[in-house]
């Protein structure tokens, strides 16, 4: 195969992998509202530093398994966790508003 053709083949592989990476990041992120709802019903905080430590430990382990730079993997996980917490906070605000009883003063027109 010519180098030019091989380059196109490798780029096609990268395109497919990029789509998978983004699909998986989206799937992880889409779990945020459900986690927030569960934590709300369990009266738990959004932030769980012990769980985050576990996620980072697991990230190091998986990086090692695939011979990937764990510091890079950790940076990506940090971004995903931050995004997750932001979306959980949004969901929590929504749940709080929904569960708030409507006070009489809110209903008065004057
Ligand atoms: O596992 C949880 O409790 C989550 O809320 C998910 C998650 C994460 O994105 O991995 C997000 C926030 C917490 O601080 C810990 C972990």
């Amino acid at each position: 195969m010519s180098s030019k053709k091989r380059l196109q083949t490798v780029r096609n592989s990268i395109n497919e992998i990029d789509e998978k990476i983004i699909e998986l990041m989206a799937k992880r992120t889409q779990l945020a509202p459900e986690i927030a709802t569960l934590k709300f019903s369990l009266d738990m905080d959004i932030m769980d530093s012990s769980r985050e430590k576990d996620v980072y430990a697991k990230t190091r382990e998986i990086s090692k398994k695939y011979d990937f730079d764990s510091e890079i993997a950790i940076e990506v996980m940090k971004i995903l966790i931050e995004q997750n917490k932001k979306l959980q906070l949004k969901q929590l605000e929504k749940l709080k508003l929904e569960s708030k009883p409507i006070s009489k003063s809110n209903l008065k027109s004057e």
Side-chain angles (χ1 to χ4, degrees), residues 28 35-36 39 44-49 51-52 55 77 80-82 84-85 88:
R28 187 190 201 283
I35 296 194
K39 286 186 168 179
M44 285 168 71
D45 289 336
I46 288 172
M47 171 71 177
D48 185 335
S49 57
R51 170 64 185 159
E52 287 189 18
V55 172
M77 292 311 299
L80 292 176
I81 290 175
E82 281 315 306
N84 193 303
K85 286 192 280 196
Q88 283 195 55

